Amino acid sequence: MADRPSGPSLFAQSLILLLREGIEAILVIGALIAFLVKTGSGDRRRDIHFGVGAAIVASLLTAVALETVSRLSTAGQETLEGITMVVATGMLFYVSYWLLSKIEVTKWNRFVKTSMQGALSSGSALALAGVAFLAVYREGFETVLFYKALFLSGGTGAWAPIAGGAAVGAVLLAIAYVAINRFGVRLPLKPFFGFTSAFLYYMAFVFAGKGIAELQSGGVVGLTILPGWP
């Protein structure tokens, strides 16, 4: 019901967003490399790393492009912001469903195996790098879109708590990466994906409401005032 979310709420949303996207990216890349080693193609890890690097660069370019478009379109600012949040809502619902459908280990392994077998059978380094690129860029694109919507929903003064949540999330991701890849720590994936998926659904409802409000401000969607209601 609040016009603007509180600082702690923005901090928590930023932290959960980065953790969820980052952990999924780490798990996907770890699974791809594990599949290479298992099939005797461990020497092709460099192709995976190349795809990951390209995806990170593409994600940063996407963030710059999205911010540039937002700044240029001053005339339809409310409409553009509303569209951004509505699209983020749809992506959040889809991501949450996709995560829940992949919680079972057998389904996850099948997903990785199907993706990798086609790339390996082609014998192309570009195909293998492409699998890694698409896996990581998907996470990067989602992260950029979700953070843009989060900044829009937070309004002025949102930078500090959102940046703080992202910074803490980055540190936790680094710790998780070292724990998983150096020490073989196994994360409780079911509880983690289950909790974060529920949190994403909550954020989707927030973005949906604020996105429609922006479209109403831009004159794209009609507005009917109900006397006595918030």
Side-chain angles (χ1 to χ4, degrees):
M1 302 292 284
D3 182 46
R4 295 295 179 191
S6 65
S9 174
L10 289 171
F11 179 91
Q13 291 180 66
S14 175
L15 173 63
I16 294 296
L17 267 182
L18 193 62
L19 270 183
R20 196 213 67 78
E21 297 293 333
I23 288 294
E24 188 177 347
I26 290 173
L27 290 176
V28 169
I29 297 307
L32 296 181
I33 292 177
F35 186 86
L36 282 181
V37 174
K38 187 177 180 180
T39 56
S41 305
D43 56 318
R44 300 187 63 181
R45 295 184 192 183
R46 185 173 60 179
D47 299 336
I48 297 290
H49 294 150
F50 177 78
V52 171
I56 292 173
V57 172
S59 300
L60 293 175
L61 292 177
T62 301
V64 172
L66 188 59
E67 190 62 28
T68 302
V69 170
S70 299
R71 292 185 181 278
L72 291 178
S73 305
T74 52
Q77 192 71 35
E78 292 91 354
T79 301
L80 185 61
E81 290 178 0
I83 291 173
T84 300
M85 283 193 273
V86 170
V87 171
T89 299
M91 290 289 290
L92 281 166
F93 271 112
Y94 171 74
V95 168
S96 299
Y97 169 76
W98 189 88
L99 266 182
L100 289 172
S101 70
K102 294 292 182 291
I103 285 180
E104 295 298 334
V105 175
T106 52
K107 292 182 179 179
W108 177 259
N109 289 338
R110 192 183 312 127
F111 169 74
V112 172
K113 186 177 181 180
T114 303
S115 301
M116 290 294 285
Q117 278 181 334
L120 285 174
S121 61
S122 69
S124 169
L126 190 59
L128 198 56
V131 172
F133 174 85
L134 291 176
V136 176
Y137 180 66
R138 167 187 162 150
E139 307 303 327
F141 177 80
E142 290 170 357
T143 303
V144 168
L145 179 63
F146 297 160
Y147 267 99
K148 180 62 178 176
L150 188 58
F151 277 114
L152 292 175
S153 71
T156 56
W159 281 94
I162 293 177
V168 173
V171 172
L172 292 177
L173 279 179
I175 294 173
Y177 179 82
V178 173
I180 293 171
N181 291 280
R182 293 287 179 86
F183 303 107
V185 175
R186 299 177 68 87
L187 297 177
L189 295 185
K190 268 195 174 184
F192 176 78
F193 280 166
F195 170 76
T196 54
S197 294
F199 198 84
L200 291 186
Y201 277 125
Y202 158 75
M203 293 184 66
F205 281 105
V206 174
F207 290 167
K210 293 185 179 298
I212 295 300
E214 293 291 345
L215 292 177
Q216 288 172 331
S217 299
V220 178
V221 177
L223 174 62
T224 302
I225 302 296
L226 300 178
W229 285 73

